[in-house]
Amino acid sequence: MKKQFERPYIKKIRAGIPSKFGMSVHNEPVTHIDNNPVPELIKQFGSPLFVISEKTLRETYAIEKRAFQTRYPRIQLAWSYKTNYLDAVCRVFHQEGSWAEVVSGFEYDKALGNNVPGSQIIFNGPYKTEEELRKAIGNDSFIHIDHFDELYAIISIAQNSDKKPKVAIRVNMDTGVYPMWDRFGFNYENGEAWDALNRISLDNNLELVGLHTHIGTYMLSTDAYKTAMTKLADLAARVEKKHNKSLKYIDIGGGFASGNTLKGAYYQGRDIVPGFDEYAEAITSALINSELNPSKLPLLILETGRALVDDAGFLLGTVIANKRLSDGRRSTIVDTGVNILFTSFWYEHEIHPAKSTSDHLEETTLYGPLCMNIDVIREAVAFPLLRKGDNFVIKRVGAYNMTQWMQFITYRPNIVLIDMEGKAHLVREAENLDSVRGNERIPDHLK
Amino acid sequence: MRIIGLAYESLEPGIYMHDLVDRTYRIPYPSDGTDILVRRLLEIGRIEKIDVLFPNFDAELLAFMKSREVLEKEGIHTFLPELGQFEERHKANLPAFGKKYGVSVPEGKPVANIRELKEALEDYEYPVVIKGKFYDAYIAGNFEQAAMYFNKISAKWGLPIIIQEFIRGTEVNVIALGDGKGNTIGAVPMRKLYITDKGKAWSGITLDDPRMLELTNHIIRSTRWRGGMELELIKSEKGEFFLIEINPRIPAWVYLAVGAGQNLPEALVKLALGIETQPFTDYRKGVLFIRYSFDLITDISEFEKLSMFGEL
Amino acid sequence: MKLKRNIAVSESGFLFDPTGGESYSLNEIGLEIFNLIRDRKTADEISSQITSEYDVARDDFEKYYFDFVGMLRQYKLLEDEE
């Protein structure tokens, strides 16, 4: 039998003193996803291909739930639709008991379509049309008010309605994190949030049910959550005291980081990202140690998105070509472009070959297939010597890619979900010419 | 006793000093992930039966602190600060650290934009120190300079920028070792006599200042510091001490402490192995260190072995 | 095509170019091809030998061979051709 071929290569040995980049380490292959061989999946569903592991979704959910439930008696997760609103993904979380957290009329309808009762939908965001507000009020959904204009719109709808809108306000605050997210909701420090709460409490047509905040994204500091919860609990305690009313819930939002490595970070994401237990400890301890009446503790709502879904998503792809750049540097063109991997703008995505390779790695630039200069998946990665047609797997792509991807130059590919038994199901079909042209209209004079 | 070297790069001189280091292995950088680094270390540990591990590179401390249990299970002992101790002494946490432990630190405030900088500077007298989150510090004599440094540092290291009271005085340092129960095992104060253009000490002298030792004992007692440390202090013109930074490891100039009568590395080995260690009570004052560099001669075959097989 | 005469390569695949002072590492196939070039084999002969030994088609191999030779040229390990 002939020996396995690897492309010949010669590499300059960097003779250096310690710097940021050191000895390159073997890149372990990812050969299977939940018992499905990667080449089989690609053969059946094409390349590129998004694969979602239902097992990982459910296991991650269970880990988060346990982390909070063991520290605080009353918790509720609300699935953040914008992170991944594929119906199949949403339904897995709803089956696990998650409510829906939506930020537009479109997402609201998607939640209803997934059979989420209106009373388990949280409606966030700075832009809700009057029609959408009426619908949400009619369905007894929780409306999180972003600004005074919205508050007065709801007041005016409520005056002519037999339904009493259930409202909460979104609060922004200084949690010691830079930049401070002060564009959404009412500010805590300048008293705006307190004003809004007083205005709502005095209105008999509105029911003040809770408080909400969302302090940022990809938060690596659990202290910021502690500060945020302390401030929200303070507001809730003041409402309790002044208006003699206990709030039903405090919604601390999301923003937990996943194990991805942010661009420019020194350490690997998986080394510095706090676990659910650490976030839970910071949040629940601040709530339990607050001035709130212990016999009427509010429900703690979490809108975790990224940290729940990122690890469950994989992007499978194929090498299109290898190329040398003018200075001898190696570049590899792959079929997974930035149009479907939006998060490659923020992360140094972890990329693994789909079969085992030798220990030789070469500093490589990974380009996507688009005829656009911005289409770079990794600027410089120590990559094994893959050949044309070889497959690879990009890890932790479950969050935001399947919602922020765009139809640009190529079609969006298939998405499959691998169920608990290891069976692959197509959950979103690849686009074709009709899906792109379907909404186009040609004026008569151009026919 | 055998000394095993761990090297990130093939030109680290210790690799080629066979009279000091018995064998050297290359290891991956902590930036490749703690799991990968520790896997390599355990691999080496199985060949060499490592008893005690001393990290010296700032970026690797965190990785080894977090892996303490895994390493101990394999018989590899460390004597490093606890994670909490490590976190709370970070530069950005210094004001909180000072408040918690009753240690004077320069007045400081983080700012995120020019407007906040301007507002905050109303409470300060010039000159002020404008510092980055991790690195870089400049002294600004007026608002224009402060704004310039703000832009310069934020472009490089991001936000926030910390403005800090400028304390006129002399920088002095202490090397110390805490046993993790609040006791100081050893401490030697020093003033740098010559500093390179990179800010590294090239020469220094041991000092006789009981107040520096008192401050060191206080910090070690109240934080129950575990392992080596270097305190960076400013002694103001009025003779007050301000804590600027705590480096959570033994500094490069450790040999001065040995020369002055406190063999802190030996004590550290004992502590790591759980051997009872009596605190040092004295050291010689007025001892100097003067660093020198040396050209080691070796053959390319040595370089080849390390480069191709990762061992020498 | 001719390699520079003073280049030393060891069995481990470590290559030292005393003219430029740079060191390089080769993988197994790279080392094998390097030695064949040193023995003044033609591209055709090299191709025959490697494709009989390894699981690779001739066309496919040619691509990687020229890429490899390109790197030798880039690193200035070849004599200037007349």
Side-chain angles (χ1 to χ4, degrees), chain B residues 300 303-304 307-309, chain C residues 10 12-14 16 23:
Chain B
I300 189 154
F303 179 75
E304 172 188 346
S307 301
M308 300 306 287
F309 305 110
Chain C
S10 68
S12 66
F14 178 84
F16 177 60
S23 306

Side-chain angles (χ1 to χ4, degrees), chain A residues 243-297:
Chain A
H243 301 284
N244 194 25
K245 177 176 172 45
S246 297
L247 293 182
K248 286 199 172 117
Y249 65 80
I250 293 184
D251 179 346
I252 194 71
F256 298 169
S258 74
N260 267 312
T261 305
L262 284 178
K263 285 197 169 172
Y266 180 79
Y267 292 110
Q268 294 289 311
R270 57 183 194 275
D271 279 342
I272 51 168
V273 165
F276 283 123
D277 278 311
E278 291 161 75
Y279 287 118
E281 186 60 37
I283 291 169
T284 57
S285 66
L287 188 48
I288 290 168
N289 296 332
S290 71
E291 300 284 310
L292 286 170
N293 181 349
S295 64
K296 288 180 188 165
L297 282 178

Side-chain angles (χ1 to χ4, degrees), chain B residues 44-103:
Chain B
I44 299 166
R46 275 187 281 276
I47 306 169
E48 297 288 352
K49 302 267 173 293
I50 298 171
D51 296 307
V52 189
L53 170 72
F54 296 102
N56 286 307
F57 179 47
D58 278 353
E60 70 191 2
L61 286 169
L62 186 65
F64 291 135
M65 277 187 285
K66 282 163 71 173
S67 314
R68 181 171 157 186
E69 280 173 29
V70 187
L71 295 172
E72 261 170 21
K73 225 159 67 192
E74 298 284 324
I76 302 175
H77 301 87
T78 54
F79 203 72
L80 300 172
E82 310 283 348
L83 265 178
Q85 297 172 339
F86 182 75
E87 293 298 333
E88 71 181 2
R89 55 92 236 166
H90 269 303
K91 206 154 54 168
N93 301 339
L94 200 62
F97 183 92
K99 210 163 131 195
K100 181 170 172 191
Y101 296 111
V103 177

Side-chain angles (χ1 to χ4, degrees), chain A residues 277-339:
Chain A
D277 278 311
E278 291 161 75
Y279 287 118
E281 186 60 37
I283 291 169
T284 57
S285 66
L287 188 48
I288 290 168
N289 296 332
S290 71
E291 300 284 310
L292 286 170
N293 181 349
S295 64
K296 288 180 188 165
L297 282 178
L299 180 70
L300 171 61
I301 296 181
L302 296 142
E303 297 171 352
T304 317
R306 185 199 315 276
L308 274 181
V309 77
D310 222 9
D311 281 14
F314 300 84
L315 179 56
L316 280 44
T318 306
V319 171
I320 296 170
N322 287 306
K323 227 174 167 172
R324 290 272 164 210
L325 302 175
S326 59
D327 58 357
R329 242 176 341 126
R330 169 175 197 76
S331 71
T332 294
I333 307 170
V334 296
D335 64 356
T336 52
V338 292
N339 55 328

Side-chain angles (χ1 to χ4, degrees), chain B residues 81-82 84-86 88-89 97-98 100-103 178-184 215-227 229 231 243 246:
Chain B
E82 310 283 348
Q85 297 172 339
F86 182 75
E88 71 181 2
R89 55 92 236 166
F97 183 92
K100 181 170 172 191
Y101 296 111
V103 177
D179 70 354
K181 296 172 195 146
N183 303 309
T184 303
L215 179 60
T216 306
N217 290 338
H218 169 73
I219 290 173
I220 289 181
R221 193 166 48 240
S222 47
T223 59
R224 304 171 77 82
W225 189 266
R226 187 173 186 272
M229 64 152 61
L231 298 179
L243 178 66
I246 299 180

Side-chain angles (χ1 to χ4, degrees), chain A residues 219-237:
Chain A
M219 305 295 299
L220 293 171
S221 150
T222 56
D223 275 354
Y225 284 98
K226 196 171 196 163
T227 309
M229 184 47 94
T230 305
K231 289 182 175 177
L232 286 187
D234 165 65
L235 279 179

